[in-house]
Amino acid sequence: MKRFGPILIVGIIIVVLAVTLVSSYNGLVNKEEDVNQAYSQVENQLQRRVDLIPNLVNTVKGFAKQEKDVINSVTNARAKLAGANTPADQATADGELTNALNRLLVVVENYPELKSDANYRQLMDELSGTENRLTVARKDYNDQVSTFNRSVKRFPGSLMAGMFGFDEKEYFKAQEGAEKAPTVDFEGNGE
């Protein structure tokens, strides 16, 4: 019996280490999937936003034919967002689209009949709802990234992350200068 004592202790240590290893690995996998799921919600809302823009642009076009530069900037920014693949590229393109939409909304102020149009109002309500959902989705994604990155950086998670190739995730960041309202100047357009 005494011969089995050291073997039993080594066996228990191996089992404890194996359980810890499996548990840490599974924890990182779960957190990474939480990040991926949260990011897919950001992408869903960005796609919804991209899908709403053509209808909004076409509605405004009918009323504001002379505002082609603003309308083109919205269309170009929408295309850039649709083609962005990484969180950083999407954040930059999203910022550009937000600025273009802000300029479009200033143009709309010059057309009271457009603001009273039912199609326009419905599109703006949908876009506003999408913007709110997008804000929540970005926050949820960044919360998941924060949780995952802490797990990857902390001990013993850092050992597991290194062994199994778990890397830190990228936050969805606002475009630089996003805290400032865009300047819209119509003096060059005869306004």
Side-chain angles (χ1 to χ4, degrees):
M1 264 319 202
K2 288 188 178 188
R3 283 191 277 162
F4 294 114
I7 294 173
L8 185 61
I9 292 172
V10 170
I12 290 172
I13 291 172
I14 290 173
V15 168
V16 168
L17 287 175
V19 167
T20 302
L21 179 75
V22 168
S23 176
S24 293
Y25 177 80
N26 287 340
L28 288 172
V29 168
N30 288 339
K31 288 176 180 149
E32 186 173 48
E33 283 305 308
D34 290 343
V35 169
N36 293 339
Q37 188 275 331
Y39 188 66
S40 72
Q41 289 305 313
V42 171
E43 289 181 317
N44 286 342
Q45 296 309 319
L46 288 173
Q47 185 61 52
R48 177 174 164 75
R49 186 183 197 206
V50 166
D51 292 344
L52 286 171
I53 300 299
N55 294 330
L56 181 64
V57 167
N58 287 334
T59 300
V60 173
K61 268 184 188 177
F63 284 89
K65 291 184 179 28
Q66 66 272 25
E67 308 294 353
K68 288 186 185 204
D69 289 341
V70 173
I71 291 170
N72 287 340
S73 72
V74 171
T75 303
N76 293 338
R78 175 193 175 269
K80 191 171 184 180
L81 179 58
N85 294 319
T86 67
D89 290 345
Q90 287 178 329
T92 299
D94 181 53
E96 289 177 24
L97 182 56
T98 297
N99 288 337
L101 285 172
N102 287 339
R103 288 192 305 276
L104 182 68
L105 295 178
V106 170
V107 167
V108 168
E109 292 298 317
N110 294 326
Y111 299 92
E113 66 275 7
L114 174 59
K115 289 192 299 186
S116 65
D117 182 72
N119 287 338
Y120 174 79
R121 284 194 324 262
Q122 179 185 0
L123 287 167
M124 287 308 297
D125 287 346
E126 287 184 39
L127 188 59
S128 178
T130 299
E131 294 295 330
N132 292 336
R133 286 190 293 276
L134 185 53
T135 299
V136 170
R138 285 182 192 136
K139 181 201 173 301
D140 291 346
Y141 169 74
N142 284 340
D143 287 347
Q144 294 297 331
V145 167
S146 175
T147 300
F148 178 80
N149 286 349
R150 270 185 270 158
S151 295
V152 167
K153 289 179 179 180
R154 289 181 181 164
F155 184 81
S158 60
L159 296 175
M160 296 301 300
M163 280 195 304
F164 292 107
F166 290 97
D167 296 320
E168 285 184 58
K169 300 295 182 184
E170 187 177 351
Y171 285 98
F172 197 101
K173 297 178 184 171
Q175 181 181 14
E176 191 173 316
E179 70 280 358
K180 298 175 190 161
T183 303
V184 180
D185 179 15
F186 289 114
E187 289 181 17
N189 293 336
E191 295 292 320

